Amino acid sequence: MSTAPSVRVAQRFHYPDDEHALKRLGSRTTMTAIQLLDLLHAGRAIWLTNAERNLKRRGHVLVYSESDCAWFVVVVAIDDPAGGAAIVTVLEQAQFENDFRKPIDKSYLFRAMASVVKPDVANDWRKANMPPNRKDRRAARLRAGTVDSGALLDHDVVIFKVDYRATGTDVVMRTEFNVTRGYPAVAAFDDLKECLGNDAFLQWFGASLVRAGVPIDRVLAIKAARGQEPLVTLATEDSFATAPVQAA
């Protein structure tokens, strides 16, 4: 089976005069001859094998039939130099897999289905039959993060966000600290801006920045939020001269 199946929109398909393909189409699917041609000509199909790489010049094209809720493999023969393809027969998925002694890759099944059905239907099938993709994993992490942060966001939890320029690139980066875990006394400050006037806190915070790899002399802003309250800017680059953050 080809390792790089593709959708060939420009291919011209037709039925031979012997009607064998039409009979197999009618006995194995509920699709009409026109519906199958429409799928193929619209490029809503996946080439599983390359007809130009075998002596018989035959290829196998995967399609999904929404009316059957099933996949079929169309066997085609390249029958003219311009690339026209005659539809030889139509196989059920199991027939093709039995002939090749190998299941069709689920990513190909998904791509064929997704070109025909509504996105939510295709995605529901993918999530039920395929490993999570990067988007799924990110959404799961976000959901987990929402649960974790929701359990922690009481009034005593203080989160600091530090913007700084990365060394050597000047790209603006951001790192975050749950200050309450490392310096519980921060919760006692009525106004979080008072933190930057406290020598003990500044020493602890400076050491935390160093451990996180943040270049203190390149910090642009320090912001903080208590619980679910809005984010407050505690200091900017211009104010560090009067309240410098110190490394321990």
Side-chain angles (χ1 to χ4, degrees), residues 110-240:
F110 171 69
R111 288 170 55 190
M113 171 189 273
S115 69
V116 174
V117 303
K118 294 180 179 179
D120 57 339
V121 174
N123 282 323
D124 285 347
W125 181 90
R126 177 181 60 77
K127 291 175 182 178
N129 294 276
M130 297 173 64
N133 61 21
R134 184 166 55 183
K135 184 177 180 180
D136 294 334
R137 292 193 295 272
R138 181 175 182 273
R141 287 196 299 270
L142 288 174
R143 286 194 297 270
T146 299
V147 172
D148 292 343
S149 61
L152 291 172
L153 285 181
D154 57 52
H155 186 72
D156 290 335
V157 174
V158 179
I159 304 295
F160 270 52
K161 300 174 187 272
V162 180
D163 297 332
Y164 64 96
R165 292 192 185 278
T167 303
T169 64
D170 280 343
V171 174
V172 177
M173 309 286 286
R174 170 173 284 185
T175 190
E176 298 186 7
F177 300 89
N178 183 334
V179 181
T180 315
R181 292 175 181 170
Y183 197 88
V186 73
F189 291 100
D190 293 328
D191 184 347
L192 291 176
K193 290 183 179 181
E194 297 175 8
C195 294
L196 300 186
N198 182 285
D199 290 340
F201 174 80
L202 289 176
Q203 288 183 1
W204 172 85
F205 191 51
S208 299
L209 292 178
V210 171
R211 286 194 298 271
V214 176
I216 294 177
D217 59 338
R218 298 174 70 82
V219 172
L220 300 175
I222 300 175
K223 303 176 182 180
R226 188 196 303 273
Q228 298 183 9
E229 294 178 3
L231 195 65
V232 176
T233 299
L234 304 184
T236 62
E237 190 174 17
D238 295 336
S239 62
F240 293 146

Side-chain angles (χ1 to χ4, degrees), residues 7-50:
V7 178
R8 303 184 183 181
V9 180
Q11 191 82 54
R12 293 183 295 105
F13 298 89
H14 63 90
Y15 295 100
D17 294 334
D18 62 10
E19 297 189 353
H20 173 80
L22 292 172
K23 291 178 181 177
R24 292 296 177 264
L25 176 69
S27 65
R28 293 170 178 166
T29 85
T30 62
M31 288 186 290
T32 67
I34 296 300
Q35 286 174 329
L36 177 58
L37 284 177
D38 286 345
L39 284 177
L40 296 171
H41 288 146
R44 292 188 289 174
I46 306 296
W47 284 76
L48 298 176
T49 63
N50 192 332

Side-chain angles (χ1 to χ4, degrees), residues 13-15 21 25 31 36-37 39-40 45-49 58-64 71-77 85-92 96:
F13 298 89
H14 63 90
Y15 295 100
L25 176 69
M31 288 186 290
L36 177 58
L37 284 177
L39 284 177
L40 296 171
I46 306 296
W47 284 76
L48 298 176
T49 63
R58 289 197 174 188
H60 298 82
V61 189
L62 178 69
V63 297
Y64 181 78
W71 290 266
F72 298 93
V73 176
V74 183
V75 182
V76 300
I87 298 174
V88 177
T89 190
V90 178
L91 303 176
E92 295 176 347
F96 174 82

